[in-house]
């Protein structure tokens, strides 16, 4: 969006120079563009949003570390990207600690309340699973949020500033306001009928019945007050106090508007989340997934995310091929096939309660060898491919069916931070669908998540057990894949993206682009994407279709999709230099920044 604005401004100037009349709307000068790439030293930040990036950079400049900056930037995203992330949601935090030279993770995934059962998403009147939107815009979809405790626990372990300090800039942005851009306004417009059902949400995001105008200043005083209350009284005010009471009340009694804006086709159901569910929530600190890829160590997020294990398995499969010696179309063929195979296994085996032995087997080289032998260089496999058998005895190839390609939404947000001490944070956070469950907690200024719709509503694996059915306290399977890659034991690369289940394929493709196909990090992020998740067709951006469709082997069915993901990443170069990269175009473009520019000017 911004590059286009800039282009228009340039044209306008050229026209003026030629003596044409000044267009009436040209009075306001174009804002400086977001920069998707920054090269420098002393620390780097990349997010989808320039305000969040600026807040994170300021923390680094004042001597804060990567964890401090990540929390401040994430809190700001809760203000400026409220339809993707916030204290009403959850996420996964991956951290390389320079002192101990270890990678740690925090699982801040939302948890099902105690009242949830395996049939919570089955309509008792029909015996059928609810439609996605019927489940989403309800109390049933809301998981106990984990974002605020992720921030608290990350700071307690590795931070150097208090949560109160780091919430302050975000509270200021919420109070003073920020400029509404196209993405913000269009995300409200796309949710108008859902948001319009709730008095609290309409009052905040549909003033006068419409989204706020692009270019206007948007304020969220309730959220500023919520952040300040947390800053003063700590996270207990949320998990054991009045904010939590309001949250549970919203789930139990959705704040329906007396005069809804627009029609909603489904009844809006309450659910049974209680203050005890909130008080019982804990973050977890699982060991990261680890796989080796061409001499590099790739660390990712373990369950309840399937991100680390699926990316790791696909890389292990791809490692058996010399992608560099192939045409790019052949390399993309192998990437798509490896994704499909990894997805078959993820769908069959991965959920919150997957035994660690199964996860270990899925990441073994012997298992990858067995899976890789299914790939045919001359033709795409018929989809869905069957899951393998990760039983420790590997050799030939296996068979039996399973597909689950439901999830291709693109909400959520991702950020990457590196500091001058060599610490790196890769953090993906979300409220699930863009706009979450549509309910702003009255008086508190934040939206609730619909993360529990990431559970399977009904069994998907035929006679085999489904690892991702709802249960009390269980966390729904995620695809979030914040990833940190080490070379010689030091951080080399950190990447992540939103995009629902396409997160896994986008992270995988960015790694292949950078590690195998000779692209720079900014090129690896910008390159056209495709996503094969063991479905009959492969979602592909138009530019991918133009570039590769004719040269892929037969059997691939490409379905055009406008865009996949909205990634961020940082690459650590020699001599302390860093490249921070964000999307140049997708989702309006992201913002990368470094503490000290290289070369200095
Ligand atoms: N809920 C999704 C997941 O955890 C993320 C949603 C998205 O990125 O759009 O995988």
């Amino acid at each position: 969006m911004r590059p286009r604005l800039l282009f228009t401004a340039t044209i306008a100037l050229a026209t003026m120079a030629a003596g044409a009349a000044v267009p009436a709307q040209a009075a306001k000068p174009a804002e400086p563009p977001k920069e998707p790439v920054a090269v420098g030293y002393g620390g780097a930040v990349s997010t989808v949003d320039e305000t969040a990036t600026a807040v994170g950079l300021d923390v680094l400049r004042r001597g804060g570390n990567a964890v401090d900056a990540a929390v401040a930037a994430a809190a700001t995203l809760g203000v400026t990207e409220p339809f993707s992330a916030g204290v009403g949601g959850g996420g996964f935090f991956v951290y390389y600690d320079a002192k101990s030279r270890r990678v740690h993770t925090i699982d801040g995934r939302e948890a099902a309340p105690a009242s949830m059962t395996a049939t919570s998403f089955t309509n008792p009147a029909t015996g059928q699973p609810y439609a996605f939107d019927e489940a989403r815009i309800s109390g049933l979809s809301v998981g106990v949020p984990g974002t605020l405790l992720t921030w608290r626990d990350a700071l307690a372990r590795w931070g150097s500033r208090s949560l109160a300090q780091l919430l302050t800039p975000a509270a200021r942005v919420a109070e003073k306001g920020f400029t509404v851009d196209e993405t913000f306004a269009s995300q409200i417009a796309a949710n108008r009928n859902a948001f319009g059902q709730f008095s609290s949400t309409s009052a905040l995001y549909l003033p006068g019945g419409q989204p706020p105008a692009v270019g206007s200043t948007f304020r969220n005083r309730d959220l500023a007050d919520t952040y300040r209350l947390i800053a003063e009284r700590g996270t207990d005010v949320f998990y054991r106090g009045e904010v939590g009471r309001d949250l549970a009340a919203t789930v139990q009694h959705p704040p329906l508007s007396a005069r809804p804006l627009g029609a909603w086709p489904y009844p809006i159901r309450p659910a049974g989340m209680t203050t005890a569910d909130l008080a019982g929530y804990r973050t977890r600190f699982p060991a990261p997934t680890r796989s080796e890829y061409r001499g590099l160590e790739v660390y990712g997020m373990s369950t309840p995310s399937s991100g680390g294990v699926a990316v790791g398995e696909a890389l292990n499969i791809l490692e058996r091929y010399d992608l560099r010696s192939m045409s790019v179309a052949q390399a993309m063929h192998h990437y798509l096939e490896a994704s499909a195979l990894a997805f078959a296994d993820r769908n069959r085996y991965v959920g919150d309660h997957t035994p660690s032995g199964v996860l270990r087997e899925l990441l073994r080289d012997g298992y990858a060898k067995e899976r890789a032998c299914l790939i045919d260089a001359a033709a795409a496999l018929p989809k869905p491919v069957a899951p393998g058998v990760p039983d420790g005895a590997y050799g030939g190839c296996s068979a039996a069916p399973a597909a689950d390609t439901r999830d291709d939404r693109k909400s959520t947000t991702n950020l990457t931070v590196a500091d001058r001490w060599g610490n790196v944070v890769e953090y993906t956070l979300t409220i699930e669908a863009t706009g979450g469950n549509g309910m702003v907690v009255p008086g508190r200024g934040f939206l609730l998540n619909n993360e529990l719709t990431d559970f399977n509503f009904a069994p998907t694996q035929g006679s085999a057990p489904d690892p991702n059915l709802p249960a009390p306290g269980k966390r729904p399977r995620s695809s979030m894949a914040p990833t940190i890659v080490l070379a010689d034991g030091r951080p080399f690369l950190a990447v992540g993206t939103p995009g629902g289940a396409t997160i896994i394929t986008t992270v995988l493709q960015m790694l292949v682009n950078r590690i195998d196909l000779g692209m720079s990090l900014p090129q690896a992020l910008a390159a056209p994407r495709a996503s094969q998740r063991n479905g009959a067709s492969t979602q592909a951006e138009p530019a991918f279709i133009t570039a590769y469709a004719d040269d892929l082997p037969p059997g691939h069915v490409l379905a055009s999709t406008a865009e996949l993901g909205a990634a961020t990443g940082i690459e650590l170069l020699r001599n302390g230099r860093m490249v921070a990269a964000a999307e140049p175009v997708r989702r309006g473009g992201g913002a990368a920044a470094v503490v000290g520019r290289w070369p200095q000017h």
Side-chain angles (χ1 to χ4, degrees), residues 109 409-412 430 432 451 454 478-480 498-500 503:
R109 183 68 159 173
R409 296 176 296 278
K410 49 169 188 263
S411 47
T412 309
T430 187
E432 215 304 286
E451 214 70 51
D454 273 358
S478 172
S479 299
M480 290 189 265
I503 290 172

Side-chain angles (χ1 to χ4, degrees), residues 306-323:
S306 58
V309 72
V311 169
E313 180 187 337
L315 288 174
N316 288 342
I317 293 171
L318 288 173
E319 197 173 22
R320 311 204 65 80
Y321 298 93
D322 183 5
L323 302 182

Side-chain angles (χ1 to χ4, degrees), residues 227-322:
Y227 276 175
R228 289 195 175 117
L229 197 61
I230 297 165
E232 270 163 38
R233 310 239 312 264
T235 53
D236 270 3
V237 80
F238 190 100
Y239 285 92
R240 294 160 190 276
E242 58 243 48
V243 180
R245 275 200 295 280
D246 289 352
L247 194 162
T250 306
V251 175
Q252 292 171 19
H253 309 283
L256 297 175
S257 173
R259 267 171 296 135
L261 301 168
W264 187 249
Y266 306 109
I268 293 168
R269 296 178 171 80
M273 185 190 291
T274 63
T275 53
D277 289 316
L278 283 153
Y281 184 87
R282 301 284 181 276
T283 53
R284 301 170 179 166
F285 303 87
T289 59
R290 179 182 176 282
S291 42
E292 284 179 23
Y293 187 63
R294 307 201 197 279
L296 305 167
E297 292 172 82
V298 181
Y299 287 92
M301 197 63 226
S302 192
T303 51
S305 186
S306 58
V309 72
V311 169
E313 180 187 337
L315 288 174
N316 288 342
I317 293 171
L318 288 173
E319 197 173 22
R320 311 204 65 80
Y321 298 93
D322 183 5

Side-chain angles (χ1 to χ4, degrees), residues 230-515:
I230 297 165
E232 270 163 38
R233 310 239 312 264
T235 53
D236 270 3
V237 80
F238 190 100
Y239 285 92
R240 294 160 190 276
E242 58 243 48
V243 180
R245 275 200 295 280
D246 289 352
L247 194 162
T250 306
V251 175
Q252 292 171 19
H253 309 283
L256 297 175
S257 173
R259 267 171 296 135
L261 301 168
W264 187 249
Y266 306 109
I268 293 168
R269 296 178 171 80
M273 185 190 291
T274 63
T275 53
D277 289 316
L278 283 153
Y281 184 87
R282 301 284 181 276
T283 53
R284 301 170 179 166
F285 303 87
T289 59
R290 179 182 176 282
S291 42
E292 284 179 23
Y293 187 63
R294 307 201 197 279
L296 305 167
E297 292 172 82
V298 181
Y299 287 92
M301 197 63 226
S302 192
T303 51
S305 186
S306 58
V309 72
V311 169
E313 180 187 337
L315 288 174
N316 288 342
I317 293 171
L318 288 173
E319 197 173 22
R320 311 204 65 80
Y321 298 93
D322 183 5
L323 302 182
R324 268 172 255 219
S325 69
M326 298 176 181
S327 68
V328 179
Q330 259 299 319
M332 288 294 115
H333 167 62
H334 283 76
Y335 148 70
L336 296 173
E337 298 295 81
S339 300
L341 291 163
F343 259 90
D345 293 329
R346 170 246 198 215
N347 295 342
R348 170 59 64 87
Y349 298 112
V350 184
D352 192 21
H353 299 152
T354 305
S356 55
V358 174
L359 297 175
R360 248 194 323 273
E361 289 304 323
L362 289 171
L363 287 174
R364 284 228 200 278
D365 282 336
Y367 184 64
K369 182 175 168 205
E370 181 176 85
R371 299 297 277 156
C373 76
L374 293 167
I375 297 180
D376 180 348
L381 293 164
K383 312 288 185 317
V385 295
V389 185
D391 58 0
Y394 306 124
C397 302
S398 40
D404 168 18
T405 54
R406 185 168 57 101
D407 179 348
D408 63 350
R409 296 176 296 278
K410 49 169 188 263
S411 47
T412 309
T413 193
N414 187 79
L415 61 95
T416 316
V417 184
D419 67 25
R420 71 178 85 155
W421 298 283
N423 303 301
V424 179
V425 172
E426 188 62 48
Y427 182 26
T428 315
L429 60 163
T430 187
I431 57 172
E432 215 304 286
T434 304
N437 90 330
M439 299 177 201
V440 167
V441 176
R444 305 298 181 185
F446 63 90
L447 278 157
L448 291 178
N449 70 82
N450 65 299
E451 214 70 51
L452 302 184
T453 59
D454 273 358
F455 283 121
N456 292 338
F457 290 10
T460 60
Q461 298 300 307
S463 56
D466 186 316
N468 190 36
L469 289 176
K474 191 173 172 182
R475 301 180 183 199
R477 177 175 62 208
S478 172
S479 299
M480 290 189 265
T483 303
I484 295 181
V485 182
L486 308 189
D488 301 322
R490 307 272 180 166
F492 156 54
L493 195 62
V495 286
T497 183
T502 72
I503 290 172
I504 290 169
T505 56
T506 292
V507 166
L508 181 61
Q509 195 179 353
M510 291 189 295
L511 293 175
V512 167
N513 287 346
R514 175 66 193 91
I515 297 168

